[in-house]
Amino acid sequence: MESEAVNRFLNPDISMMQGVGNIEVTEEENTLAIQMGHIVTAKALESGVDSVVPTMPDPEIPVSVGQFHIVPYAMPAAQQPYVVDDPVIQARLTRVYEQEQTGELEEPNSMVVACASSVCTSEQALDVKPQSSSERIVLYVCGGGFVSSDTALLKWHYMRVSQELGQRVFVPRYHVAPAHVFPRAIHDVYTAFMYLVNQGFQAQDITVLGISAGANIALAVVELLRIQKEPEPSRIVVVAPCVDLTLSMDSWTRNHDKCVLGYIPADNPHSMPRVYYGDVESGVDVLAMLRHPLLSPLFGRVHTGLPLQIHSGTCDALADDAVALAQRVPHAELITYPGRNHYTILRGKQQLDAMYAHMRRFIQTPCSE
């Protein structure tokens, strides 16, 4: 029954893998998604997450709708070494910075440029420079539980964001655990932001959009930009954000049977936070370390400064993360979707139309208002 549930979920006939999200999720599909999520979690607990992450088929997006391009990027020469307050994290950041500086990092950095046909031509999409002095863009940090990025499951969403907002969307293909542990993903996305600024984009013309684990990374990058005293983006949008890697929120248990996300306690070596963090240094209290703002942005300074819009489903295992984040940020806008979980929050025409309408209003409103 378990393998049947997995196979049916991955079947494009009933899944949204190759769709554009407009078809409403059936009760059957939602049930299968929840089953699969819990099966994967159980297998991760038994044998490690790297052995159970499924391969997703790429969606087929018609050229008439838009196109994807993959372009390389590199750390700008002017990018400064990191300086943070924790010696363990400082050592990790210094190591990845120096490895990139000397060309020792495995696998070069690249990003997806998603461009709806109504936004620009293929040639313009390939040119990673501003099309005008005031071009506004989206830096999209996709989710994937810290173990996958640029997922096929979300590629259609890059295109929809470009189409709905009328902007090019840049998606860093950040390196993921367990092969590349914290803080490699943060470094990759931070470097992508700095690269875009170095290419001529104004920081105030960039919106950072993060989904799930990508929201964690996005908020950590903004925290790091603030620490480094670098220009910050104009605003942040997060969807189903994972902002507390201690996994201490009540919604993990309250919504367990309603959500695709299975629960493994944060102190378990096979849990999402521990796989992301990697090997624990001698003498380090890992649960205390997981509260550091670069790992759990909820405990950082996200409550100051930038406009923040938060989207969350009430049946999501991460629902309380979103509420807690909104409580920390007095000026944040929290938008909740009754009955939606971590899978269904990006499914169905009515749901997506409502979400995109909120995003358009937020992103197109001048920051001074």
Side-chain angles (χ1 to χ4, degrees):
M1 176 62 187
E2 289 184 358
S3 60
E4 179 184 352
V6 172
N7 290 335
R8 293 185 68 193
F9 177 76
L10 291 176
N11 185 329
D13 291 339
I14 64 168
S15 80
M16 300 307 301
M17 302 277 180
Q18 294 187 344
V20 291
N22 275 340
I23 301 173
E24 185 56 78
V25 174
T26 65
E27 184 176 345
E28 177 190 34
E29 184 185 354
N30 187 41
T31 299
L32 289 173
I34 293 171
Q35 288 177 6
M36 180 182 176
H38 292 188
I39 289 168
V40 167
T41 300
K43 289 184 176 179
L45 186 59
E46 177 183 341
S47 57
V49 70
D50 54 333
S51 66
V52 296
V53 176
T55 300
M56 307 294 188
D58 275 340
E60 296 180 5
I61 305 293
V63 176
S64 59
V65 174
Q67 52 203 301
F68 300 105
H69 295 290
I70 297 177
V71 298
Y73 72 92
M75 187 171 72
Q79 186 167 318
Q80 296 298 305
Y82 303 112
V83 179
V84 298
D85 58 1
D86 184 277
V88 173
I89 294 178
Q90 176 67 63
R92 288 184 173 219
L93 283 168
T94 297
R95 183 164 59 250
V96 72
Y97 176 90
E98 291 178 348
Q99 287 175 333
E100 170 127 2
Q101 194 176 46
T102 58
E104 296 175 31
L105 278 183
E106 298 177 5
E107 306 172 15
N109 290 323
S110 63
M111 66 175 77
V112 174
V113 183
C115 183
S117 58
S118 58
V119 174
C120 64
T121 66
S122 176
E123 292 74 17
Q124 289 172 325
L126 276 169
D127 184 11
V128 189
K129 290 184 181 297
Q131 303 297 316
S132 70
S133 60
S134 59
E135 183 185 7
R136 299 175 71 180
I137 62 172
V138 175
L139 181 66
Y140 183 121
V141 190
C142 70
F146 303 104
V147 296
S148 63
S149 69
D150 181 29
T151 60
L153 182 62
L154 287 173
K155 280 184 176 176
W156 64 267
H157 195 235
Y158 313 160
M159 191 62 66
R160 283 292 295 269
V161 170
S162 175
Q163 191 175 56
E164 295 285 343
L165 300 180
Q167 299 179 16
R168 286 192 290 171
V169 176
F170 295 82
V171 189
R173 303 170 79 197
Y174 59 86
H175 293 79
V176 297
H180 305 280
V181 298
F182 169 86
R184 179 65 191 275
I186 293 174
H187 168 78
D188 289 348
V189 177
Y190 179 97
T191 297
F193 182 89
M194 297 300 293
Y195 174 81
L196 291 170
V197 171
N198 190 64
Q199 290 295 100
F201 292 99
Q202 299 299 309
Q204 63 266 25
D205 290 329
I206 301 175
T207 294
V208 173
L209 168 61
I211 311 290
S212 186
N216 177 298
I217 295 166
L219 290 167
V221 165
V222 172
E223 177 83 9
L224 192 53
L225 287 167
R226 189 166 296 150
I227 291 171
Q228 296 290 105
K229 297 181 170 54
E230 295 288 356
E232 299 173 21
S234 64
R235 64 200 77 209
I236 311 169
V237 178
V238 293
V239 179
C242 172
V243 292
D244 174 14
L245 288 192
T246 68
L247 308 185
S248 60
M249 298 295 173
D250 290 342
S251 53
W252 277 104
T253 52
R254 186 179 71 249
N255 288 336
H256 179 265
D257 294 333
K258 305 172 187 176
C259 187
V260 296
L261 298 179
Y263 175 69
I264 301 176
D267 59 357
N268 187 296
H270 295 309
S271 69
M272 173 183 65
R274 287 291 303 277
V275 171
Y276 177 50
Y277 186 81
D279 293 337
V280 180
E281 291 83 354
S282 176
V284 169
D285 180 341
V286 69
L287 288 180
M289 178 62 76
L290 289 174
R291 289 181 60 88
H292 190 279
L294 292 183
L295 285 153
S296 292
L298 177 64
F299 307 117
R301 293 179 293 172
V302 292
H303 60 288
T304 63
L306 301 180
L308 173 65
Q309 186 181 69
I310 306 166
H311 299 261
S312 176
T314 59
C315 291
D316 197 326
L318 294 169
D320 288 356
D321 280 49
V323 172
L325 181 62
Q327 291 172 343
R328 285 289 314 276
V329 187
H331 58 273
E333 178 184 13
L334 173 62
I335 301 163
T336 58
Y337 303 96
R340 297 285 171 167
N341 63 29
H342 207 73
Y343 179 65
T344 59
I345 194 168
L346 292 178
R347 300 293 184 271
K349 185 178 187 328
Q350 184 176 357
Q351 166 68 14
L352 288 174
D353 285 350
M355 180 178 290
Y356 291 131
H358 287 304
M359 286 186 186
R360 276 196 306 271
R361 169 186 50 77
F362 179 72
I363 291 173
Q364 294 172 0
T365 300
C367 290
S368 58
E369 293 186 9

